Structures are given as C-alpha cells and as structure tokens.
Amino acid sequence: MARPEVGAALRRCAHCSGYEYSGAPGCTACGELVDRIVEDEWSAFLHRWDAGKDQEATLAEMVATEPDRHDWRVVDAALDRLVCSACGDRLSRGPVGCSACDLAHGFRYAAIETDRPGVPAGNEHAVRVSVSVVRRPQGVSGNELLVRRLGLPVLLVGVLPTTEEAQRMSALVKSYSGTAKPSLVEQLLEETLLRHRGGSRPSTG
C-alpha cells in the first residue's frame, strides 16, 4: 500500500516509535514508506505505458521535460532516475546551491496534484510539499522539517489543518527547543486530528 486510506487510523512505527512516515528521513523504515508513495505510482505509470526497466531512463527524461502533464509522484520518481550534470546526485536532490538541482526542484511543482475523494481541497498539495521536504531535507530549516515530517501522517489520512491550526503549530515550534519539541508538536497534531474527526482517538498500534 503506497499510502494510508483516507480516514485510516494512525499507526506507530516499530522502529522509531513515531507515527509511520513521520520518522523520515532519519528512520529508514519511515523513509521507505515515504519513498513508496512515489515509487508505487511510478510502477503504475510504467505499467500503463507497458514499459520495461530498460525504458525507464527515456520515460524519466520525457516526464522531466513536461512535468505539468503528469502526477507529482511520477515527476518526483522521474527526477530520481536522472543524474544531475552539475553535482552528480539525483536530479533535484543535490546540495542547496546546485543550480541545476534547484531549477529541477522548482519545476517539479508544476506537476498535477489531484485531491483524493473525501479530503479537503488542498490536501494533496500539502502531502506533496511534505513528501518533497522529507525527501530533500537539506533545502529547509530544522523547524520546517520537523513540522513537515510529523504532520505527514495526519495529511496522509486526509486531514488538512486550518490556517489557524498551522499558525499555532508554527508558534509552538518557534517557542520551544530541545528534546521536548517533537512530542509537543505530535500532541498538537493529535488534537488537530481529533477536532477534524469529531473525537475519535488515533491508534497507537
């Protein structure tokens, strides 16, 4: 399963004890779950094109030149399969300051983002941004990475925090430091999930 169903319960990761997906990029298991969001859609894309592994590079180049015609997950997967001519890393995921990677990273946001049935408008964009941040953490501050990675599980099950909730989260992150901050952010996200679901508690299984 590439991602949880809309309305699914949050699940704890057996490796990092956070909610699944939220431990990336530090937790290997969570990182693999995040990568599967992208990779499973790429596999489906190859199947639709009836293409084999030997055709991946050609298709990746095609997708990278027309990101506005493809789902964001296909675009991200395509960029992963291209090598940056400037830094040698995966295109768009090289160090900040690599002009070629920074340019490709910007172009990826032209891709198609389709909200799933039953989610508020903009949920898919929020998922897409958070996945991008988690997979390219060097491009953001530590505080933004914290909020994006911890909030990803909530977004994946179909919740989209309001502007007020997001502002409260930002203020909390800026106000606290040290080891207590992640648990405080997670608690606030749990409260957000409860409000949007009318009181049903997230699973810790």
Side-chain angles (χ1 to χ4, degrees):
M1 181 178 65
R3 63 166 101 182
E5 297 291 334
V6 173
L10 301 184
R11 296 171 54 89
R12 291 286 181 184
C13 172
H15 297 269
C16 70
S17 299
Y19 289 118
E20 288 183 338
Y21 301 87
S22 72
C27 171
T28 301
C30 285
E32 289 175 353
L33 287 174
V34 174
D35 284 340
R36 280 181 56 193
I37 294 173
V38 170
E39 289 300 316
D40 284 6
E41 190 64 20
W42 178 256
S43 294
F45 176 73
L46 292 181
H47 180 73
R48 289 193 296 272
W49 278 76
D50 193 24
K53 290 289 185 180
D54 58 325
Q55 297 172 286
E56 279 193 295
T58 300
L59 284 175
E61 290 174 359
M62 178 197 73
V63 170
T65 62
E66 50 181 30
D68 58 320
R69 299 185 61 183
H70 302 280
D71 182 90
W72 68 267
R73 293 163 293 179
V74 172
V75 172
D76 281 14
L79 293 176
D80 282 346
R81 284 159 173 80
L82 300 175
V83 177
C84 175
S85 60
C87 71
D89 206 331
R90 285 175 288 181
L91 187 59
S92 84
R93 294 178 70 176
V96 175
C98 172
S99 58
C101 281
D102 289 346
L103 185 64
H105 179 63
F107 282 150
R108 74 180 348 133
Y109 286 100
I112 297 169
E113 300 166 348
T114 305
D115 283 317
R116 294 165 291 169
V119 305
N123 172 266
E124 189 68 11
H125 176 70
V127 169
R128 191 255 190 288
V129 172
S130 293
V131 168
S132 175
V133 165
V134 167
R135 299 180 85 228
R136 190 180 188 255
Q138 67 271 28
V140 300
S141 68
N143 280 342
E144 182 174 355
L145 175 59
L146 177 67
V147 172
R148 292 293 183 183
R149 71 176 180 82
L150 293 181
L152 183 55
V154 173
L155 297 172
L156 286 170
V157 297
V159 171
L160 182 65
T162 64
T163 299
E164 181 181 357
E165 289 167 339
Q167 290 173 341
R168 183 183 174 199
M169 186 92 57
S170 178
L172 176 69
V173 168
K174 292 176 181 176
S175 299
Y176 286 86
S177 61
T179 57
K181 185 158 58 175
S183 62
L184 290 170
V185 172
E186 188 176 89
Q187 180 180 343
L188 191 56
L189 285 163
E190 289 173 348
E191 293 171 0
T192 300
L193 183 62
L194 286 171
R195 282 194 296 274
H196 285 260
R197 288 193 172 172
S200 59
R201 287 211 154 275
S203 168
T204 57

